[in-house]
C-alpha cells in the first residue's frame, strides 16, 4: 500500500487539467491533441542515419547493405512523421469544417514533399560539413566533423526543421529544432533561412531568430545573437507575430564570439563583425566592426568602430 495519498493527488490533478481545458475551450479529448515529442525524436534520429548512414547509422551497418537500411529506415520514419503531421493538422484545424479525409490528404502531401526534399537537403549539408572542415584547423577529417561537431548537428536538425516549417508544420519543426537546442546549446528557429556552407564554430549560446536570413559561406562563433530589437503589440496588447524583425546576413560574413546583432539590419557581404559588439544599424559590405574602447561605466555598452572597406575609404578621402 502506498504511503502517499495517490487517489487524492490524482483527483486534484484532474480538476486542474479540466479547469485549463475549459478555459482554453478544449473539451473534446477523443483524439490525441498534440504530436509526440518521443515519436518525433525517434523519426529524427532515424533520418540522421538515412542522411549519413555509415556515420550516423547503426554500428553494424556496412556498405553492402546501405541501400536496404536507408530504404527500410526512411519508410518507417516517414510513416511516423505522417502520423504526427496528421495530429498537428487536426490540432490546428479543430473546430473547423475540414474533414478527416482532407486532413489525411494534407499530411500525406506534406510528408511526401518532405521525403523528396531529402536528396537536396543532403547536398546542402555536405556544404556545411566542408565549411566546418575547411574553416577549423583542428578538424582532422570530414568524418570527425559529422560525428562530433555541435554546429553540424544543429544544422542537420535545422535543415530538417526548416523543410517542415515551409510545409506548414511549424509545431513539428519546432520540436525538431529544440531537440538540437537541448543537445548543443545552439538555438535556431526553424523559420530562419540559412544558405549553403554555414559554419557554426563551437556554437554554445548561438541564437538565430525566426526571420533571420543568412547567406552563403557565413561563419558564426559561440554566443552570437541574431535577434529582434523590439516587440510591437497590437491593439489588444498582444505581441505581433510573423513580421520581419531579425537581421539579414549576406554572403561571406564572419561574426565573432559574443556579437549581438538586433533588428532588421543588413550585414553586408564580406563584413567581419568583431567579438562582443552590439549592432543595431546596417553594416556596409566589406566593413570591419570592432570595439572602439571599453566604457568604465559598467552599465554602458561598449562603443564600436566601423572600418569601411578599402574602396569606400578611398572614395571618401
Amino acid at each position: 500500500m502506498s504511503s502517499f495519498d495517490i487517489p487524492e493527488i490524482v483527483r486534484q490533478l484532474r480538476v486542474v487539467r479540466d479547469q485549463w481545458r475549459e478555459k482554453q475551450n478544449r473539451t473534446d479529448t477523443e483524439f490525441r491533441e498534440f504530436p509526440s515529442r518521443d515519436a518525433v525524436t525517434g523519426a529524427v534520429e532515424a533520418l540522421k542515419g538515412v542522411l549519413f548512414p555509415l556515420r550516423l547509422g547503426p554500428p553494424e551497418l556496412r556498405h553492402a547493405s546501405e541501400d536496404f537500411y536507408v530504404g527500410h529506415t526512411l519508410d518507417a520514419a516517414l510513416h511516423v512523421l505522417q502520423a504526427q503531421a496528421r495530429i498537428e493538422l487536426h490540432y490546428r484545424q479543430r473546430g473547423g469544417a475540414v474533414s478527416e479525409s482532407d486532413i489525411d490528404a494534407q499530411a500525406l502531401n506534406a510528408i511526401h514533399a518532405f521525403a523528396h526534399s531529402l536528396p537536396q537537403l543532403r547536398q546542402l549539408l555536405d556544404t556545411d560539413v566542408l565549411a566546418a572542415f575547411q574553416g577549423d584547423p583542428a578538424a582532422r577529417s570530414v568524418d570527425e566533423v559529422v560525428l562530433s561537431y555541435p554546429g553540424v548537428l544543429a544544422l542537420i536538425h535545422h535543415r530538417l526543421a526548416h523543410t517542415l516549417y515551409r510545409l506548414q508544420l511549424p509545431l513539428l519543426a519546432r520540436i525538431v529544432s529544440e531537440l538540437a537546442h537541448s543537445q548543443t546549446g545552439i538555438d535556431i528557429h526553424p523559420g530562419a533561412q540559412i544558405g549553403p556552407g554555414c559554419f557554426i564554430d563551437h556554437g554554445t549560446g548561438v541564437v538565430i531568430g525566426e526571420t533571420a536570413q543568412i547567406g552563403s559561406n557565413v561563419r558564426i562563433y559561440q554566443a552570437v545573437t541574431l535577434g529582434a530589437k523590439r516587440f510591437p503589440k497590437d491593439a489588444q496588447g498582444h505581441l505581433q507575430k510573423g513580421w520581419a524583425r531579425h537581421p539579414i546576413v549576406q554572403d561571406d560574413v564572419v561574426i565573432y564570439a559574443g556579437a549581438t546583432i538586433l533588428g532588421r539590419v543588413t550585414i553586408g557581404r564580406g563584413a567581419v563583425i568583431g567579438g562582443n559588439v552590439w549592432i543595431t544599424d546596417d553594416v556596409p559590405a566589406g566593413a570591419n566592426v570592432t570595439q572602439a574602447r571599453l566604457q568604465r561605466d559598467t552599465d554602458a555598452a561598449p562603443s564600436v568602430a566601423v572600418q569601411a572597406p578599402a574602396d569606400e575609404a578611398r572614395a571618401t578621402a
Side-chain angles (χ1 to χ4, degrees):
M1 187 176 187
S2 175
S3 37
F4 305 102
D5 191 2
I6 299 298
E8 177 58 20
I9 297 171
V10 170
R11 186 195 67 79
Q12 293 179 18
L13 286 170
R14 184 180 69 249
V15 169
V16 174
R17 291 196 306 271
D18 289 345
Q19 289 173 344
W20 168 259
R21 288 168 180 162
E22 185 174 353
K23 289 179 181 178
Q24 301 297 319
N25 195 26
R26 295 178 181 174
T27 55
D28 182 9
T29 56
E30 180 181 355
F31 302 99
R32 181 181 176 91
E33 284 192 276
F34 315 109
S36 164
R37 184 181 174 96
D38 288 344
V40 175
T41 300
V44 170
E45 290 302 311
L47 287 171
K48 288 191 287 189
V50 166
L51 290 168
F52 297 97
L54 293 180
R55 286 175 283 189
L56 301 182
E60 68 275 8
L61 183 64
R62 299 296 180 268
H63 189 271
S65 56
E66 192 175 25
D67 282 349
F68 176 80
Y69 163 78
V70 168
H72 175 76
T73 305
L74 177 59
D75 184 65
L78 292 175
H79 277 89
V80 170
L81 284 180
Q82 181 183 347
Q84 299 307 308
R86 188 190 184 284
I87 294 171
E88 176 174 349
L89 291 168
H90 195 281
Y91 161 73
R92 282 168 40 203
Q93 300 176 39
R94 64 190 185 280
V98 182
S99 68
E100 296 294 326
S101 60
D102 286 342
I103 291 176
D104 288 341
Q106 290 176 28
L108 177 60
N109 290 338
I111 301 307
H112 186 274
F114 175 83
H116 282 272
S117 75
L118 291 175
Q120 183 180 5
L121 191 150
R122 165 61 201 254
Q123 290 181 320
L124 194 55
L125 286 167
D126 285 345
T127 69
D128 301 328
V129 171
L130 284 174
F133 173 66
Q134 294 168 355
D136 185 0
R140 297 177 180 272
S141 69
V142 291
D143 302 307
E144 177 187 359
V145 168
V146 174
L147 288 167
S148 62
Y149 275 42
V152 171
L153 176 61
L155 285 167
I156 293 173
H157 277 248
H158 173 72
R159 301 215 184 272
L160 291 169
H162 184 66
T163 304
L164 292 169
Y165 183 90
R166 289 191 296 105
L167 292 169
Q168 306 302 310
L169 293 169
L171 183 51
L172 289 187
R174 194 60 182 261
I175 293 172
V176 173
S177 67
E178 289 302 324
L179 291 173
H181 184 194
S182 64
Q183 294 179 49
T184 65
I186 299 170
D187 182 4
I188 310 176
H189 192 284
Q193 301 177 42
I194 301 180
C198 183
F199 178 28
I200 302 175
D201 198 4
H202 306 295
T204 304
V206 166
V207 177
I208 301 175
E210 178 184 19
T211 62
Q213 297 180 14
I214 298 175
S216 302
N217 306 314
V218 170
R219 185 186 308 175
I220 299 172
Y221 287 85
Q222 67 271 22
V224 165
T225 297
L226 303 181
K229 183 179 178 181
R230 58 190 181 90
F231 303 94
K233 298 181 180 180
D234 60 22
Q236 289 72 43
H238 301 134
L239 289 179
Q240 295 181 12
K241 299 181 183 293
W243 58 284
R245 59 198 183 276
H246 299 103
I248 298 171
V249 179
Q250 296 183 344
D251 299 347
D252 304 313
V253 168
V254 179
I255 308 175
Y256 283 101
T260 299
I261 306 173
L262 302 181
R264 194 60 164 184
V265 299
T266 297
I267 308 301
R269 179 170 185 159
V272 176
I273 309 301
N276 298 313
V277 299
W278 182 279
I279 296 175
T280 56
D281 296 300
D282 291 347
V283 173
N288 192 340
V289 181
T290 59
Q291 289 191 36
R293 59 189 175 85
L294 293 177
Q295 302 284 351
R296 293 185 179 277
D297 181 356
T298 57
D299 292 332
S303 59
V304 298
V306 180
Q307 180 180 346
D311 291 344
E312 181 178 332
R314 282 195 297 269
T316 57

